[in-house]
């Protein structure tokens, strides 16, 4: 399972890095799309755009090293869950508006396909977070719950029975 988790995390990270690069290459269109978004105030579109790119980059970086992978998976689940909520609201409130998620892949408008993709990635991150290997107590120095705090002496202090 560790290999599958590593490969999946690397693919999700690559997906996020491509999104970050796409948004940076199309910065003006991304800010414009967020400015037209009914969920984002037009005055804050630049700040929201920078925040989204920064958060995506942090999550993508957290998914790569094994030491931060579980945290990255949790953050990825939350991030893609929030993206799913935003896409669902856009589908309901303003289906003709631009979402600004990706200009290369053609996700310039909220679609059911886009919503399902975000939901599946959020579920994958959640599943991998729940099933990923946690550090064992023998590796990180913690004792098992209920284990003795000290080791018993090798010799007994009890009197022998005659």
């Amino acid at each position: 399972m560790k290999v599958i988790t590593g490969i999946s995390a690397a693919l999700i990270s690559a997906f996020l890095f491509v999104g970050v690069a796409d948004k940076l290459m199309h910065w003006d269109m991304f800010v414009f799309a967020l400015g037209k978004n009914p969920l984002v105030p037009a005055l804050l579109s630049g700040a929201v755009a920078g925040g989204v790119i920064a958060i995506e980059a942090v999550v993508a970086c957290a998914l790569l090293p094994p030491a931060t992978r579980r945290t990255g998976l949790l953050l990825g689940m939350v991030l893609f869950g929030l993206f799913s909520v935003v896409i669902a609201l856009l589908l309901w409130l303003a289906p003709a508006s631009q979402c600004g998620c990706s200009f290369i892949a053609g996700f310039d408008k909220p679609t059911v396909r886009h919503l399902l993709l975000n939901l599946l990635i959020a579920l994958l991150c959640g599943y991998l977070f729940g099933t990923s290997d946690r550090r064992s107590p023998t590796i990180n120095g913690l004792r098992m719950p209920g284990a003795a705090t000290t080791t018993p002496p090798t010799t007994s202090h009890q009197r022998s029975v005659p």
Side-chain angles (χ1 to χ4, degrees), residues 56-125:
E56 284 182 353
V58 166
V59 172
C61 289
L63 286 168
L64 294 177
T68 60
R69 189 167 293 145
R70 285 199 82 225
T71 303
L73 289 169
L74 178 64
L75 292 173
M77 178 184 69
V78 171
L79 181 68
F80 281 103
L82 288 173
F83 287 165
S84 299
V85 169
V86 168
I87 296 299
L89 287 172
L90 284 176
L91 279 170
W92 182 44
L93 297 173
S97 67
Q98 288 186 328
C99 63
C101 291
S102 175
F103 300 96
I104 295 172
F107 290 140
D108 57 340
K109 302 231 185 267
T111 62
V112 175
R113 171 183 64 128
H114 189 182
L115 176 65
L116 290 176
L117 176 67
N118 284 337
L119 283 173
L120 287 174
I121 294 174
L123 289 172
L124 176 64
C125 287

Side-chain angles (χ1 to χ4, degrees), residues 7-65:
I7 292 170
S8 299
L11 290 173
I12 295 168
S13 179
F15 182 74
L16 284 170
F17 277 130
V18 167
V20 166
D22 181 37
K23 288 175 183 76
L24 288 173
M25 288 188 317
H26 300 98
W27 174 257
D28 292 334
M29 290 190 318
F30 182 47
V31 173
F32 179 76
L34 288 179
K36 297 293 182 184
N37 189 319
L39 304 174
V40 178
L43 290 174
L44 297 177
S45 61
V48 171
V52 167
I53 290 172
I55 291 170
E56 284 182 353
V58 166
V59 172
C61 289
L63 286 168
L64 294 177

